[in-house]
Amino acid sequence: MLTVALAKGRTVDDLLPLWGSAGLPLPSDLDDTRALVFEVPWSGFSPIRYLLAKPADVPTYVSFGVADIGVVGKDVLLEQQKEMYELLDLDVSKCRLCVAGLPQDYDRRPERVATKYPKLADAYFRSQGQSVEIVPLSGSIELASVIGLTDRIFDLVQTGSTLVANGLTVFDTVYDISARLVANRSSYRMKNREISEIVRRLNQAKAVRGDS
C-alpha cells in the first residue's frame, strides 16, 4: 500500500482537480465525511491510503515514513527543513510569502514581527541587516499590525484582499509559494514504481493544463 499525506484546507481543495485529471484514484466521499483516513484501489498498482493532515504535520508524517509521499505548501517545507525528497512543483495553491504592514510604518525600522514562520522571518530580517523580535502567532496575523502589537507581519498573501481590508500593504515579496509533492527517502527507493507513476501522471496533467 502507498500512503499519501495531504494538507487539509485550501491545498487539498486546489489539488483534487489536478489529481483527478491525472487519472489517480480518489475516495468518492472525501468531501462528505469527517474521516481522516481513506483507502482506495489503484488498478495495476498497490492500493492508496490517503491521510488528511494539518499542513504543518505533513512533513513530519513523510520524514518519519508514516506516509510515503505527501502534498504540502512550499512555505511549510522551507520553515521546517525536514529530510525528504521534493519531487514536483504542482503549480496549485499559489500565493506569496510577504512582509507587510501599515503604510505609515514603511520607512520605520522594524522592531517586532508577527508570523507563523519564525525561522524564515528571522532569516529574512537578518539578511536585511535588521535585528527584530519575532512574535509567533497561529492565526489572523494581520491583527498584530492593526492593533499595534507589531510593526510588520511576515505571512502568506494570496489575493491581498485581507491586507487591503485591514489597511495593510505589502512591503516585500520574499518567496513565491505553491504546493509541492514530496517523498520519504526510503519509500522513494522501495516504492519507486508507484511514486514514479504518480509523478509521470501529474506532469502530464500539468502539461495539459498549461496548453489549455
Side-chain angles (χ1 to χ4, degrees), residues 108-211:
R108 175 183 170 187
R109 187 175 181 86
E111 296 178 1
R112 285 188 292 187
V113 179
T115 185
K116 300 175 188 174
Y117 309 95
K119 292 179 182 177
L120 291 178
D122 183 65
Y124 168 80
F125 284 100
R126 286 182 184 275
S127 74
Q128 304 298 305
Q130 298 169 339
S131 177
V132 299
E133 179 184 357
I134 302 296
V135 180
L137 294 175
S138 59
S140 300
I141 305 300
E142 298 86 1
L143 183 61
S145 272
V146 173
I147 65 175
L149 173 62
T150 65
D151 43 43
R152 296 286 192 279
I153 65 170
F154 186 92
D155 199 22
L156 291 179
V157 176
Q158 186 179 359
T159 65
S161 58
T162 302
L163 293 181
V164 172
N166 288 282
L168 304 175
T169 188
V170 172
F171 293 162
D172 192 13
T173 296
V174 183
Y175 294 106
D176 290 316
I177 302 296
S178 57
R180 308 299 169 101
L181 180 71
V182 295
N184 175 271
R185 293 183 175 185
S186 296
S187 296
Y188 187 72
R189 294 191 298 271
M190 301 295 293
K191 301 182 180 181
N192 187 263
R193 177 172 176 265
E194 287 83 1
I195 294 173
S196 294
E197 180 65 12
I198 287 174
V199 171
R200 184 187 71 81
R201 292 191 185 196
L202 288 171
N203 266 322
Q204 281 189 338
K206 281 179 55 183
V208 171
R209 273 190 164 195
D211 292 339

Side-chain angles (χ1 to χ4, degrees), residues 55-129:
D57 293 338
V58 170
T60 299
Y61 290 136
V62 174
S63 64
F64 276 90
V66 176
D68 300 302
I69 60 175
V71 175
V72 69
K74 181 67 173 180
D75 54 313
V76 178
L77 299 177
L78 288 168
E79 175 69 15
Q80 297 192 10
Q81 295 292 322
K82 302 280 189 183
E83 290 191 359
M84 63 187 73
Y85 294 135
E86 185 177 318
L87 303 180
L88 188 62
D89 182 348
L90 296 168
D91 286 329
V92 298
S93 292
K94 291 184 176 182
C95 52
R96 298 170 294 148
L97 195 54
C98 297
V99 178
L102 295 168
Q104 60 265 33
D105 288 338
Y106 180 78
D107 292 323
R108 175 183 170 187
R109 187 175 181 86
E111 296 178 1
R112 285 188 292 187
V113 179
T115 185
K116 300 175 188 174
Y117 309 95
K119 292 179 182 177
L120 291 178
D122 183 65
Y124 168 80
F125 284 100
R126 286 182 184 275
S127 74
Q128 304 298 305

